[in-house]
């Protein structure tokens, strides 16, 4: 595709008979922040490593800035990578770590030029005061910044980040997430970011690719993926607490029956009598709703999480329990009767193969 | 709620229990150390002031053995020979083993049989290896000399030539030791984080740069152990000398350990041999301490 920063054409990766990545076709536009999201072992890191040149694809073509890079050495691909465990050189100081790409790539820079570039990169990630230290004297967050500075100093066409925040504690992860977004805005280079954390994916990505078992499940903006999951896997993987699934039967048109409840959806539900799965997000169920799409039930248990309380509901929508979010300071107690309603656009219908209808 | 003194007593009891457990586990190793290392060294020190003691009772001779060492030309010769041998054997075996380890690390399939073959010489008793090499090096029918004759037309007297004998012994020891050091270095290399090397590759470092700027510095702990261990072992080189040359020709391969053995069992000078042994212990100890400081500073 013309103008793509990165392009994968029918790329596959197998280890023996085990397919890790199956037929990947993808293009990333310049400046885009693309997140590869999926559970462990879904092939997301392998995709990154194939692009970096650390792993060789079994078949297919990979392009960076329009150049075929399948046979190029990692250093010739014009990509920089930030590793999950930072991969800092432990025997070098922070300044030496950041300067290493300038030295190793054989760029003819004077010591002064090199120092300036190192200082600029360090300044960008706010570690200028750590330059003389060794990595083992730094905190996890500071090490992460050094790894970022080392990637930045090369001024590559593409940034690759392999779960860069997963070793940080929750508070630091939040702070670093915001800084990474800000940094990406300033640098404006195409970035592929691998994570299994949906919060990172939703908050950082221009586009998300959800992967499972080496197959792309869905590509879309965070909103698309949240509001219109392409299949049961994406619907279950995205969102916290998870979407609840209830078996249903199509009544034709836009109507579906779950248990003794009839719901109206915005999408057609297929032929009458067809077995379906109905997905309902806890955040989409409105307490004390009325009128259409009303489900009556009883609170089984409640889970206080701070701002919200999640109520588990046994309902007339079948045997499967539903989950409802309550922002009320005094939510109903277990045993209390509770009716909830759901808007037609929030009724997610999946066919027998688990595909969205 | 217990009082302060009761708490202190309980803490002391707990601490004592913990210490006793630790000492109980350490006791067998400590007993072995005292019995087989510390006590023999003390005995050596005592014997260094004695003469005789094998056929008849030992006799106190004061500092005679120590004085003799400083006037004995053969002691100087054996020290020089031992250092000469170590200076050849240790770097040679390290370089060869490192190259082999790097090659093995690069091979993805089929490295197990190669490792087995490489390690095989290490498993051989040195006496058998040395005897085997007497055939390999034999001037008339040794395979190496058959090759030499084919190349140069002249056989080479590897073990009979004073300038070749020690390098030849070093070669045998390198051949025998290379497998062990290869496995050690390979384990060290494979224990290094792979991501560091991937990062270096992406940073633009070629194989040589990765080796000199990453592998070698990161293997420092392995090297520390290797240098100390190799020094200790090689300063005591004896078996191959004993079998291949018995110190000859003209004491060209007479090493300190060989001289200690000869003093004790051939020259009937156990006191002198004990003095030499004690000095060797001190030298090895001093070198180990110096090396450990050097590596710590580096």
């Amino acid at each position: 595709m013309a103008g793509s920063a990165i392009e994968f054409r029918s790329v596959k990766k197998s280890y023996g008979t085990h397919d890790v990545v199956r037929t990947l076709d993808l293009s990333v536009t310049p400046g885009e922040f693309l997140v590869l999201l999926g559970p462990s072992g879904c092939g997301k890191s392998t995709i990154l490593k194939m692009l970096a040149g650390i792993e060789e694809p079994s078949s297919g073509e990979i392009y960076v800035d329009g150049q075929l890079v399948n046979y190029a050495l990692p250093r010739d691909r014009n990509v920089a990578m930030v590793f999950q465990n930072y991969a800092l050189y432990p025997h070098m100081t922070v300044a030496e770590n950041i300067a290493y790409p300038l030295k190793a790539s054989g760029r003819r820079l004077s010591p002064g030029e090199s120092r300036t570039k190192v200082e600029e990169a360090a300044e960008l990630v706010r570690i200028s005061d750590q330059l003389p230290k060794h990595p083992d004297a730094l905190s996890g967050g500071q090490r992460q910044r050094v790894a970022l500075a080392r990637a930045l100093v090369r001024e590559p066409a593409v940034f690759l980040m392999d779960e860069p925040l997963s070793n940080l504690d929750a508070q630091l992860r939040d702070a670093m997430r915001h800084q990474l977004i800000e940094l990406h805005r300033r640098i404006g280079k195409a970035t592929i970011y691998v994570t299994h954390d949906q919060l990172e994916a939703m908050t950082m990505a221009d586009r998300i690719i959800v992967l499972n078992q080496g197959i792309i499940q869905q590509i879309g903006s965070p909103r698309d993926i949240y509001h219109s999951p392409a299949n049961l896997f994406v619907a279950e993987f995205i969102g916290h607490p998870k979407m609840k699934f209830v078996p249903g039967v199509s009544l034709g048109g836009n109507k579906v029956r779950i248990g003794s409840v009839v719901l109206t959806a915005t999408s057609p539900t297929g032929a009458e009598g067809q077995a379906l799965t109905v997905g309902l997000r806890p955040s989409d169920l409105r307490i004390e709703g009325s009128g259409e799409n009303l489900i009556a039930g009883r609170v089984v248990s409640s889970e206080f999480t701070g701002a919200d309380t999640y109520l588990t509901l046994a309902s007339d929508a079948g045997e499967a329990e539903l989950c409802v979010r309550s922002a009320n300071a005094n939510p109903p107690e277990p045993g209390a009767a509770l009716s909830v309603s759901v808007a037609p656009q929030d009724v997610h219908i999946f066919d027998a193969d688990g595909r969205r209808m | 709620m217990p009082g302060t003194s009761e708490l202190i007593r309980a803490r002391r009891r707990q601490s004592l229990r913990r210490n006793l457990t630790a000492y109980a586990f350490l006791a067998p190793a400590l007993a072995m150390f005292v019995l087989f290392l510390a006590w023999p060294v003390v005995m050596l020190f005592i014997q260094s002031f004695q003469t005789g003691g094998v056929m008849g009772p030992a006799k106190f001779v004061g500092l005679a053995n120590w004085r003799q060492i400083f006037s004995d030309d053969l002691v100087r010769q054996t020290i020089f020979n031992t250092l000469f041998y170590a200076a050849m054997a240790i770097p040679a075996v390290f370089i060869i083993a490192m190259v082999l380890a790097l090659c093995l690390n690069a091979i993805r399939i089929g490295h197990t049989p190669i490792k087995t073959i490489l390690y095989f010489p290490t498993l051989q008793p040195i006496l058998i290896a040395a005897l085997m090499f007497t055939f390999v090096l034999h001037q008339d029918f040794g395979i190496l000399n058959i090759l030499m004759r084919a190349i140069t037309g002249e056989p080479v007297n590897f073990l009979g030539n004073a300038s070749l004998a020690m390098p030849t012994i070093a070669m045998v020891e390198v051949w025998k030791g290379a497998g062990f050091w290869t496995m050690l270095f390979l384990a060290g290399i494979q224990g290094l984080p792979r991501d560091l090397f991937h990062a270096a590759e992406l940073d633009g470092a070629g194989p040589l740069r990765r080796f000199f700027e990453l592998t070698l510095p990161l293997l420092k702990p392995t090297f520390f152990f290797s240098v100390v261990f190799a020094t200790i072992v090689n300063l005591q080189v004896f078996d191959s000398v004993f079998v291949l040359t018995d110190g000859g020709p003209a004491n060209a391969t007479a090493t300190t350990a060989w001289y200690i053995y000869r003093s004790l069992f051939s020259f009937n000078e156990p006191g002198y041999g004990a003095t030499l042994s004690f000095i060797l212990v001190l030298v090895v100890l001093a070198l180990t301490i110096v090396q450990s400081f050097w590596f710590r500073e580096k």
Side-chain angles (χ1 to χ4, degrees):
Chain A
M1 191 191 290
S4 295
I6 302 158
E7 197 180 348
F8 288 85
R9 284 189 200 161
S10 307
V11 171
K12 290 182 189 174
K13 178 69 186 175
S14 312
Y15 296 108
T17 54
H18 177 57
D19 295 329
V20 182
V21 176
R22 303 181 209 190
T23 322
L24 178 72
D25 285 292
L26 167 72
S27 80
V28 182
T29 54
E32 185 177 9
F33 199 109
L34 182 86
V35 172
L36 299 180
L37 176 68
S40 297
C42 72
K44 52 193 190 300
S45 289
T46 306
I47 293 172
L48 217 59
K49 286 176 181 170
M50 285 193 290
L51 181 55
I54 296 166
E55 294 276 358
E56 214 174 293
S58 304
S59 64
E61 293 168 352
I62 301 172
Y63 295 84
V64 174
D65 262 352
Q67 302 289 314
L68 181 70
V69 295
N70 282 46
Y71 309 106
L73 290 171
R75 63 181 169 195
D76 298 329
R77 296 187 177 209
N78 205 12
V79 300
M81 186 159 166
V82 178
F83 292 82
Q84 184 176 1
N85 56 6
Y86 322 128
L88 299 180
Y89 310 124
H91 54 296
M92 298 182 195
T93 63
V94 168
E96 286 166 343
N97 263 282
I98 300 173
Y100 195 70
L102 301 174
K103 179 180 155 194
S105 60
R107 284 201 226 173
R108 294 205 177 112
L109 295 176
S110 69
E113 284 175 309
S114 176
R115 203 178 316 118
T116 309
K117 280 184 178 292
V118 169
E119 282 166 4
E120 280 170 4
E123 181 66 40
L124 215 53
V125 295
R126 301 176 213 168
I127 45 153
S128 299
D129 52 338
Q130 310 293 333
L131 289 175
K133 292 184 183 169
H134 277 85
D136 59 2
L138 305 179
S139 67
Q142 288 168 329
R143 287 181 204 186
Q144 190 56 70
R145 286 162 202 265
V146 178
L148 275 169
R150 190 176 64 185
L152 286 167
V153 82
R154 296 186 56 198
E155 297 170 5
V158 173
F159 284 97
L160 310 177
M161 300 192 186
D162 190 2
E163 308 210 28
L165 308 184
S166 62
N167 287 347
L168 305 180
D169 62 53
Q171 215 173 351
L172 200 54
R173 206 157 48 219
D174 283 349
M176 281 299 289
R177 208 170 57 224
H178 293 297
Q179 287 174 24
L180 275 178
I181 297 168
E182 178 57 31
L183 197 63
H184 175 253
R185 273 199 203 113
R186 287 169 68 179
I187 306 294
K189 297 280 173 70
T191 302
I192 301 188
Y193 186 101
V194 161
T195 184
H196 62 264
D197 183 330
Q198 52 168 300
L199 182 67
E200 276 174 33
M202 301 293 267
T203 53
M204 299 173 89
D206 294 323
R207 271 195 310 161
I208 296 175
I209 295 185
V210 183
L211 284 158
N212 187 34
Q213 296 179 340
I215 300 168
I216 293 180
Q217 303 294 314
Q218 189 171 1
I219 305 178
S221 69
R223 280 176 196 283
D224 284 345
I225 284 183
Y226 185 78
H227 292 300
S228 308
N231 55 40
L232 281 173
F233 175 83
V234 178
E236 192 180 16
F237 194 75
I238 301 287
H240 180 81
K242 287 180 178 183
M243 184 185 277
K244 294 287 177 184
F245 298 105
V246 185
V249 177
S250 170
L251 299 176
N254 292 346
K255 295 205 180 295
V256 60
R257 193 180 67 233
I258 49 170
S260 58
V261 177
V262 175
L263 295 179
T264 305
T266 48
S267 55
T269 57
E272 198 174 333
Q274 185 184 338
L276 303 166
T277 302
V278 176
L280 299 168
R281 286 198 192 282
S283 54
D284 292 337
L285 296 178
R286 289 193 300 275
I287 292 175
E288 290 165 9
S290 57
E292 204 178 29
N293 288 352
L294 198 66
I295 304 168
R298 187 173 41 79
V299 178
V300 176
S301 63
S302 71
E303 206 175 34
F304 176 67
T305 63
D308 299 316
T309 301
Y310 288 95
L311 308 170
T312 303
L313 204 66
S315 71
D316 52 10
E319 283 179 18
E321 288 177 336
L322 299 178
C323 182
V324 189
R325 187 180 68 182
S326 166
N328 194 326
N330 298 303
E333 294 294 320
L338 186 71
S339 290
V340 294
S341 67
V342 57
Q345 68 269 23
D346 296 327
V347 178
H348 303 277
I349 310 284
F350 302 94
D351 66 15
D353 296 327
R355 285 188 298 255
R356 182 181 186 82
M357 293 184 75
Chain B
M1 199 170 158
T4 316
S5 57
E6 203 178 321
L7 267 176
I8 293 169
R9 269 201 301 279
R11 202 174 295 151
R12 273 193 198 141
R13 266 201 307 276
Q14 193 191 22
S15 162
L16 184 71
R17 235 187 345 257
R18 213 178 281 161
N19 286 343
L20 280 177
T21 312
Y23 284 126
F25 277 106
L26 284 172
L30 189 69
M32 298 285 272
F33 175 79
V34 170
L35 199 63
F36 294 109
L37 280 166
W39 180 240
V41 171
V42 172
M43 288 302 292
L44 279 180
F45 185 65
I46 294 167
Q47 278 186 321
S48 72
F49 301 105
Q50 295 174 343
T51 187
V54 178
M55 303 298 283
K59 208 173 85 185
F60 181 74
V61 291
L63 290 171
N65 289 328
W66 291 83
R67 272 196 294 271
Q68 192 187 336
I69 280 171
F70 291 102
S71 58
D72 188 346
D73 288 342
L74 193 50
V75 169
R76 274 193 289 277
Q77 173 84 43
T78 59
I79 290 170
F80 173 78
N81 287 347
T82 308
L83 293 177
F84 177 53
Y85 159 80
M88 280 186 293
I90 297 174
V93 79
F94 277 13
I95 292 168
I96 291 168
M98 181 53 79
V99 170
L100 289 171
L102 289 169
C103 292
L104 278 171
N105 190 46
I107 297 172
R108 298 219 173 152
I109 301 163
H111 46 74
T112 308
I114 303 172
K115 281 189 212 166
T116 311
I117 292 165
L118 280 175
Y119 199 69
F120 190 68
T122 302
L123 296 174
Q124 283 195 10
I126 184 68
L127 283 172
I128 292 171
L131 273 173
M132 196 180 82
F133 265 90
T134 56
F135 294 112
V136 172
L137 301 166
H138 196 279
Q139 200 171 352
D140 297 323
F141 53 83
I143 189 157
L144 205 58
N145 261 319
I146 292 171
L147 280 171
M148 291 304 288
R149 258 200 295 267
I151 297 164
T152 62
E154 294 256 334
V156 179
N157 191 357
F158 287 102
L159 297 171
N161 182 323
S163 56
L164 283 180
M166 195 50 111
T168 306
I169 286 172
M171 182 191 75
V172 174
E173 290 284 351
V174 167
W175 175 82
K176 186 170 156 40
F180 171 78
W181 295 111
T182 303
M183 293 308 133
L184 192 85
F185 291 157
L186 182 64
I189 291 168
Q190 291 183 337
L192 298 177
R194 289 188 67 76
D195 275 354
L196 285 186
F197 291 86
H198 291 150
E201 259 187 277
L202 277 158
D203 284 344
L208 276 179
R209 198 180 267 277
R210 289 202 297 276
F211 175 71
F212 285 109
E213 292 178 358
L214 281 187
T215 310
L216 281 186
L218 294 173
L219 281 180
K220 202 175 82 173
T222 309
F223 275 127
F224 169 66
F225 165 77
S226 306
V227 170
V228 171
F229 186 66
T231 307
I232 292 169
V233 169
N234 282 291
L235 289 183
Q236 299 172 56
V237 61
F238 168 73
D239 316 54
S240 51
V241 172
F242 184 67
V243 176
L244 289 169
T245 58
D246 199 17
N251 292 331
T253 58
T255 59
T256 312
W258 173 87
Y259 193 32
I260 291 168
Y261 173 84
R262 281 287 172 222
S263 301
L264 286 168
F265 299 106
S266 302
F267 307 153
N268 197 22
E269 293 179 16
Y272 193 55
T275 314
L276 284 169
S277 293
F278 189 74
I279 289 174
L280 186 62
V281 169
L282 291 182
V283 169
V284 169
L285 197 66
L287 275 174
T288 308
I289 291 168
V290 168
Q291 284 169 347
S292 73
F293 273 108
W294 187 72
F295 270 95
R296 211 172 293 162
E297 273 176 26
K298 284 257 168 179

